[in-house]
Amino acid sequence: MRSRPKLAKGLVVFSMAWLLLLSSSFGSYWLLWPLEHQYSVRTAAPKHACVVMVLGSGHDDALMGEARHKLSTTALARLTEGVAQVKKPPAMIAYWS
């Protein structure tokens, strides 16, 4: 990149800005938004479903209190929806990560 110093500087600035965006909560929500909202909320369980798997979304160890107080808003919403799906018939098994 010695022959193109402007390109090299631009790539360094772009990569640092991209890393900062992806490491922020805004950046992660921006990336997750299309994935989280492409499917509608289920009102009834599929006929042959037997497992509800809820993937985690992070927590904050800096917060004091019980484990449920440390969950992020997204994780708490996923957990609540998973419990609601398990309570609907037919009986299902729940897995949390």
Side-chain angles (χ1 to χ4, degrees):
M1 289 272 153
R2 290 179 191 241
S3 62
R4 299 183 190 173
K6 287 185 179 181
L7 178 63
K9 283 183 184 178
L11 286 174
V12 168
V13 170
F14 173 76
S15 61
M16 291 179 73
W18 187 249
L19 184 63
L20 182 65
L21 175 72
L22 293 180
S23 65
S24 69
S25 61
F26 171 77
S28 64
Y29 287 130
W30 176 67
L31 284 174
L32 283 174
W33 182 262
L35 297 174
E36 293 278 344
H37 296 282
Q38 70 181 345
Y39 302 106
S40 61
V41 176
R42 287 193 182 272
T43 55
K47 293 179 182 178
H48 302 291
C50 60
V51 174
V52 173
M53 182 173 285
V54 178
L55 301 176
S57 182
H59 64 282
D60 189 356
D61 284 331
L63 297 174
M64 301 304 285
E66 296 181 25
R68 69 176 182 269
H69 297 143
K70 296 180 179 185
L71 292 175
S72 68
T73 307
T74 305
L76 192 55
R78 288 179 180 177
L79 182 62
T80 304
E81 184 61 30
V83 170
Q85 291 295 323
V86 169
K87 288 184 176 181
K88 292 178 183 177
M92 291 190 256
I93 299 170
Y95 291 102
W96 323 107
S97 73

